[in-house]
């Protein structure tokens, strides 16, 4: 039986990952400081002898035995990671360092959940892994963007210097059950607004694009990446079906049958204009591609939020 640590395991992607690993028979140790994650997300796993939640901040060192480490810990929604940007930078650097030390002590394989934010305001489209990005080094997104870049750098140095088996994935926008209703993200905001018959808040003119990947697809890709032999990455993980923010709103209004309208609000600073992953590498190396359509994934997410907020 494998012992697998998931940091940020009580968060949105983390809790879905913990559930899936537990189903596969792993002994799962979930580490979370519950800053943006919630114990509720993993409550269904709590009775199992193969699941343990450790409430711990990864900025502090920890000593554990493990075969695999998925390192996801960090608030990921702009609203959350900008609330305490210094804590975000600290989490990304100290957290990565501490978990790499756990990997080193155990000779464990460790996966970093990096991000499409590595590419900043991209000047090439779609984004390939070789693209070095166009990141504002001192803007309001920098704590997250530069923090994740630092984390990637640290992972590769541990690989080069200490021979640690690393896996680096760059996750693009992911959505699905387990998201927080007040996460501030486009999908959660729009669904909650539509269900409550409130106006959908379009930032800017809504022409900026994102590519939405359903969480089950993302989790499948993370596991395939972890188990793939002889590869470090980085590998983009996301859906390559690109939608404007306005189109996302239209899908959600249609699927909820809401009479909500759209209102325009100012575009946040440094908000990337276009984002779509090139997933040629994931297709080739992992034999993976997204399998859940936007309407199918949004419908499942709408059902989840309906239970939660109505
Ligand atoms: N957005 C929006 N209305 C909202 C929330 C987000 O128009 O209520 C836009 C936001 O400006 C961005 C996109 O949706 O262009 C995705 O934002 P999100 O916060 O989900 O994540 P990001 O991809 O920017 O990290």
């Amino acid at each position: 039986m494998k012992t697998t640590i998931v940091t940020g395991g009580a968060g949105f992607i983390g809790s879905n990952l913990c559930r899936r690993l537990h189903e596969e028979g792993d002994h799962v140790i979930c580490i979370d400081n519950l800053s943006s994650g919630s114990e509720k997300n993993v409550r269904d796993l709590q009775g199992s002898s193969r699941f343990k939640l450790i409430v711990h901040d990864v900025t502090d060192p920890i000593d554990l035995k493990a075969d695999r480490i998925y390192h996801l810990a960090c608030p990921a929604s702009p609203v959350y990671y900008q609330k305490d940007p210094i804590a975000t930078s600290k989490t990304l650097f100290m957290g990565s360092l501490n978990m790499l030390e756990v990997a080193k002590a155990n000779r464990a394989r460790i996966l970093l959940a990096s991000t499409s934010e590595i590419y900043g305001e991209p000047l090439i489209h779609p984004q390939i892994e070789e693209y070095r990005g166009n990141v504002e080094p001192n803007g309001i997104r920098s704590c997250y963007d530069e923090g994740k870049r630092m984390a990637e750098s640290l992972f590769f140095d541990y690989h080069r210097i200490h021979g640690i088996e690393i896996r680096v994935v760059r996750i693009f926008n992911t959505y699905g059950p387990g998201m927080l209703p007040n996460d501030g993200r486009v999908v959660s905001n729009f669904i909650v607004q539509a269900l409550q018959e409130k106006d959908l808040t379009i930032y800017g003119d809504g022409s900026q694009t994102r590519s939405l990947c359903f969480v089950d697809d993302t989790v499948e890709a993370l596991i395939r990446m972890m188990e793939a032999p002889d590869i470090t990455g980085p590998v983009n993980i996301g859906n390559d079906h690109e939608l404007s923010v306005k189109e996302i709103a239209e899908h959600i209004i249609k699927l909820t049958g809401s009479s909500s309208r759209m209102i325009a609000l100012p575009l946040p600073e440094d908000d990337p204009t276009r984002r779509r992953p090139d997933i040629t590498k994931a297709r080739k190396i992992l034999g993976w591609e997204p399998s859940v359509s936007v309407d199918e994934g949004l419908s499942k997410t709408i059902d989840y939020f309906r239970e939660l907020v109505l």
Side-chain angles (χ1 to χ4, degrees), residues 5-7 31 56-73 90-114 147-169 226 232:
I5 295 174
V6 180
T7 74
I31 301 182
H56 170 85
D57 192 318
V58 289
T59 58
D60 294 321
I62 190 162
D63 183 11
L64 287 170
K65 296 264 165 293
D67 306 296
R68 297 276 189 268
I69 303 168
Y70 289 85
H71 181 44
L72 278 64
K90 196 174 159 193
T91 299
L92 289 169
F93 177 65
M94 295 298 296
S96 297
L97 186 72
N98 287 329
M99 295 320 296
L100 282 160
E101 283 297 320
V102 177
K104 187 169 153 234
N106 286 277
R107 302 313 290 174
R109 192 178 286 180
I110 181 166
L111 177 144
L112 172 66
S114 185
K148 288 281 188 182
R149 290 172 73 98
M150 179 71 232
E152 281 200 19
S153 164
L154 207 52
F155 265 64
F156 276 89
D157 283 334
Y158 266 74
H159 173 64
R160 281 185 287 257
I161 292 169
H162 299 298
I164 301 301
E165 279 193 89
I166 60 160
R167 301 286 183 271
V168 176
V169 290
M226 179 64 104
T232 56

